Amino acid sequence: MLVAAAVFSLLAGTDCHAQDSQEGPDIAEMAAKKAEELERTLKLEYWQVFYVDSTLQHDYTAMQAEMEKFQKAKVSNVSLYMDVQDRWMETIDSTFRTIFNEDQWKAYLKSGAEKQQKARAKRRAKAEKTIR
């Protein structure tokens, strides 16, 4: 549980220590906070905030469910958890690309998303190299 909670906390940008170790992070609250943050920084329209929040709630929930499967199977390989996180973050970014206008997308990338995308690409390339 601790490994998945730490990975999920990194993903969500929350403080791992602020979360109760017995309970997972509150998905709805995390999604709402992130949607509010993006609303402020990207000057999102009301309908965009709705789609961002809905996307995050769905995708965070699905990601958490995948991680919980690993936990129940007692998987301790952190790279498997990171792979789940990376896949879902790619899905979120792909959806955000359809929600944001061009200026908002550029601002989103500049706010740190581009760096995260590059880090995911680097991990993916490293994993592919390891497989070969």
Side-chain angles (χ1 to χ4, degrees):
M1 177 75 172
L2 187 57
V3 172
V7 171
F8 195 74
S9 294
L10 288 172
L11 148 84
T14 61
D15 184 3
C16 182
H17 302 293
Q19 302 295 333
D20 183 10
S21 63
Q22 299 303 315
E23 296 179 22
D26 182 73
I27 301 295
E29 186 178 314
M30 287 174 37
K33 283 182 180 180
K34 185 65 175 178
E36 289 171 8
E37 175 190 328
L38 291 172
E39 178 183 24
R40 280 191 313 275
T41 59
L42 304 178
K43 298 178 178 55
L44 299 179
E45 300 287 332
Y46 71 92
W47 63 270
Q48 291 174 305
V49 176
F50 172 78
Y51 282 117
V52 166
D53 184 60
S54 297
T55 297
L56 293 174
Q57 284 193 42
H58 172 271
D59 291 358
Y60 284 174
T61 300
M63 178 174 42
Q64 185 177 37
E66 278 193 59
M67 289 188 178
E68 286 174 357
K69 285 181 186 178
F70 285 148
Q71 289 173 313
K72 287 178 183 175
K74 307 239 187 269
V75 173
S76 61
N77 185 341
V78 176
S79 65
L80 293 175
Y81 290 95
M82 292 299 294
D83 181 55
V84 169
Q85 175 186 322
D86 287 351
R87 282 188 291 109
W88 281 106
M89 291 309 297
E90 287 293 329
T91 301
I92 290 169
D93 280 353
S94 176
T95 304
F96 282 0
R97 183 68 184 106
T98 65
I99 297 170
F100 300 157
N101 65 34
E102 197 63 35
D103 291 336
Q104 290 168 332
W105 179 249
K106 288 177 185 176
Y108 174 70
L109 291 175
K110 286 182 182 178
S111 73
E114 187 170 33
K115 185 176 180 179
Q116 292 173 353
Q117 289 175 351
K118 287 180 181 180
R120 288 193 301 265
K122 186 176 179 181
R123 283 191 294 272
R124 186 173 38 253
K126 183 178 177 182
E128 288 174 3
K129 185 177 180 181
T130 303
I131 292 173
R132 294 180 189 176

